């Protein structure tokens, strides 16, 4: 899963990204890598994996990971090549979802590129650049379909669908908000176009320390919430400055720090969990003395395809999956006790894997 972090200059985007990369490297005994200067991987927090590790004491514990891309270069006019322009838009195109960092605090020492804090205006600026870039793509798609329709009339429907979308985008509205207006087939057709404003969005409302402990008391945060509600998007309160400090702490110190703030979990942890929900992802687990590991799949994935996430041979030679629910295993205390109680099930090719399933795949190639 790849998430692109976007935002105007001086909204806290790079501070948040640096906190993310530090969190991956410092606050957990997980493998971490920086792929290049603006890409980092962070572990998905999963208490179930932690408990399995306590049970098995494996040689290695491997969490699911999320790739974050710090996308620089957005200014007004990016869609026309201003700033890093096309590079910026190309980087977004390669992501599964967008984390849009919005500044929700005043600070005379941190100059805002527009001269003042105004979340609604900032959100509009980025949204409009994405829509403008999409308009250009949609125009090209219409032209291509019109030419194809001269030889095959079936392309006339494609012209009709994308013309309707073009009118919607011309009103400054995202492709994401257009989908509910069309049927499933036309929605699938639009989805083939890789439009930027079609990507799901999480708004990361960047607050100061005081605001982070009680976000709903901050008028700027409520602005972001209202706009997100209109778009059917999620909002996560974060404090990039605090996240950077938390990322330097050991896990026990981190929890004490959060308890002192009166918040149950860090903004980064909330962001990771929200990303899973946004993209319809779940985790299944494998366990043993060599390794305990979390694997990411889309909700609705069947057992053979889940096995294929581990190795293509597992899917090709799939025989069955031996499955126990995490809660059942914890209630029994050991895998042997769960087996005695008949809680380990043998599932076939049509079994749909559930979040938190602990699975041993049987295969033969």
């Amino acid at each position: 899963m790849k998430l692109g972090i976007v935002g105007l200059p001086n909204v806290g985007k790079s501070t948040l990204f640096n906190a993310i990369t530090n969190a991956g490297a410092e606050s957990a005994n997980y493998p971490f890598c920086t792929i290049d200067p603006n890409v980092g991987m962070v572990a998905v927090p999963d208490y179930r994996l932690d408990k399995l590790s306590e049970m098995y004491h494996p040689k290695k514990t491997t969490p699911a990971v999320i790739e974050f891309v710090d996308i620089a270069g957005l200014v007004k006019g990016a869609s026309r090549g201003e700033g890093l322009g096309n590079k910026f838009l190309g980087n977004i195109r390669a992501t599964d979802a967008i984390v849009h960092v919005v500044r929700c605090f005043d600070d005379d020492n941190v100059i805002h590129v527009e001269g003042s804090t105004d979340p609604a205006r900032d959100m509009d600026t980025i949204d409009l650049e994405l829509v403008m870039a999409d308009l250009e793509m949609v125009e090209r798609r219409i032209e291509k379909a019109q030419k194809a329709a001269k030889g095959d009339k079936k392309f006339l429907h494609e012209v009709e669908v994308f013309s309707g979308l073009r009118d919607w985008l011309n009103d400054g509205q995202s492709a994401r908000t257009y989908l509910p207006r069309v049927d499933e087939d036309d929605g699938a057709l639009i989805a083939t176009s890789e439009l930027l404003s079609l990507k799901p969005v999480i708004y990361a409302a960047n607050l100061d320390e005081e605001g982070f402990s009680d976000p709903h008391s901050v008028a700027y945060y409520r602005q972001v919430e209202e706009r997100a509600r209109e778009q059917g998007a999620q909002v996560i309160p974060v404090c990039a400055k605090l996240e950077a400090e938390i990322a330097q702490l050991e896990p026990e110190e981190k929890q004490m720090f959060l308890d002192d703030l009166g918040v149950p979990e860090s903004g980064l942890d909330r962001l990771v969990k929200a990303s899973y929900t946004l993209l319809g992802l779940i985790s299944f687990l494998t366990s043993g003395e060599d390794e305990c590991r979390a694997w990411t799949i889309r909700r609705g994935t069947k057992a053979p395809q889940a096995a294929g996430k581990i190795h293509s041979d597992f899917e090709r030679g799939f025989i069955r999956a031996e499955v126990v629910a995490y809660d059942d295993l914890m209630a029994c205390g050991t895998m042997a006790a769960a087996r005695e109680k008949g809680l380990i099930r043998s599932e076939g090719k049509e079994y749909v894997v559930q979040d938190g399933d602990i699975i041993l795949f049987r295969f033969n190639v």
Side-chain angles (χ1 to χ4, degrees):
M1 177 165 55
K2 183 184 286 190
L3 302 179
I5 304 177
V6 306
L8 293 172
N10 288 351
V11 297
K13 179 172 62 70
S14 293
T15 304
L16 181 62
F17 177 77
N18 290 336
I20 286 167
T21 53
N22 280 336
E26 302 293 341
S27 68
N29 295 319
Y30 297 142
F32 168 81
C33 63
T34 299
I35 298 168
D36 61 45
N38 72 332
V39 180
M41 307 285 280
V42 67
V44 176
D46 193 332
Y47 68 93
R48 300 168 304 194
L49 184 64
D50 297 335
K51 287 290 186 183
L52 280 180
S53 293
E54 289 174 16
M55 181 182 289
Y56 283 94
H57 303 290
K59 296 172 187 172
K60 186 164 69 166
T61 297
T62 308
V65 293
I66 291 180
E67 184 176 328
F68 283 91
V69 185
D70 183 18
I71 298 172
L74 180 67
V75 293
K76 266 185 186 173
S79 58
R80 300 188 303 275
E82 298 289 333
L84 293 181
N86 294 333
K87 181 181 178 185
F88 164 81
L89 297 170
N91 285 340
I92 297 179
R93 216 174 294 285
T95 63
D96 298 304
I98 295 170
V99 177
H100 183 165
V101 182
V102 185
R103 179 165 157 177
C104 293
F105 64 90
D106 292 312
D107 186 340
D108 293 337
N109 296 317
V110 183
I111 303 302
H112 193 289
V113 68
E114 296 289 346
S116 63
T117 304
D118 185 339
R121 177 202 60 211
D122 294 354
M123 293 164 83
D124 285 344
T125 298
I126 286 190
D127 288 348
L128 187 58
E129 292 305 325
L130 301 185
V131 166
M132 295 288 286
D134 282 350
L135 260 172
E136 192 176 321
M137 284 191 73
V138 168
E139 289 284 8
R140 289 202 298 267
R141 184 69 179 256
I142 292 170
E143 288 174 16
K144 185 178 177 182
Q146 285 172 333
K147 288 177 183 176
K150 292 175 182 177
D152 190 339
K153 296 298 182 186
K154 75 178 182 183
F155 285 98
L156 289 173
H157 180 66
E158 188 168 326
V159 173
E160 182 185 335
V161 170
F162 280 96
S163 295
L165 175 58
R166 177 186 58 194
D167 295 343
W168 185 260
L169 294 171
N170 266 322
D171 287 338
Q173 302 180 90
S174 70
R176 193 172 56 256
T177 57
Y178 186 68
L179 284 188
R181 304 173 68 86
V182 300
D183 64 28
E184 190 175 330
D185 289 342
D186 288 350
L189 179 61
I190 290 170
T192 63
S193 57
E194 295 186 344
L195 299 176
L196 300 174
S197 69
L198 201 56
K199 292 186 181 295
V201 174
I202 296 174
Y203 289 103
N206 187 21
L207 300 138
D208 57 21
E209 291 184 37
E210 184 180 350
F212 180 60
S213 60
D214 186 13
H216 287 100
S217 68
V218 180
Y220 292 145
Y221 179 79
R222 295 196 298 272
Q223 271 188 45
V224 179
E225 267 197 324
E226 183 179 348
R227 181 62 58 86
R229 196 178 302 117
E230 291 169 4
Q231 298 182 3
Q234 294 190 57
V235 182
I236 303 296
V238 299
C239 175
K241 184 181 174 185
L242 272 180
E243 295 297 330
E245 293 175 21
I246 291 170
Q248 306 294 332
L249 302 175
E250 294 298 324
E252 296 80 10
E253 294 175 315
K254 171 182 167 181
Q255 195 54 55
M256 287 172 61
F257 189 94
L258 292 170
D259 290 343
D260 287 345
L261 283 173
V263 294
E265 57 188 346
S266 72
L268 175 55
D269 286 352
R270 293 186 210 180
L271 180 58
V272 169
K273 289 177 181 177
S275 304
Y276 255 57
T277 303
L278 183 71
L279 295 172
L281 302 175
I282 61 171
S283 293
F284 72 90
L285 306 159
T286 53
S287 59
E289 293 179 0
D290 283 335
E291 183 180 31
C292 289
R293 182 163 182 167
W295 303 85
T296 302
I297 55 172
R298 292 204 175 274
R299 189 176 295 280
T301 299
K302 292 183 178 179
Q305 288 70 50
K309 292 288 288 185
I310 300 174
H311 197 286
S312 58
D313 283 352
F314 283 31
E315 180 175 0
R316 188 158 55 93
F318 179 88
I319 299 172
R320 66 180 185 276
E322 294 181 3
V323 184
V324 60
Y326 169 81
D327 288 339
D328 287 343
L329 177 60
M330 290 301 115
C332 293
T334 66
M335 199 66 81
R339 192 177 297 279
E340 281 177 19
K341 292 187 177 181
L343 295 173
I344 298 179
R345 312 183 310 275
S346 181
E347 301 286 0
K349 292 182 178 180
E350 294 303 308
Y351 177 69
V352 175
V353 175
Q354 302 300 305
D355 188 39
D357 276 352
I358 300 163
I359 307 180
L360 173 65
F361 292 104
R362 300 293 184 185
F363 70 103
N364 182 38
V365 289

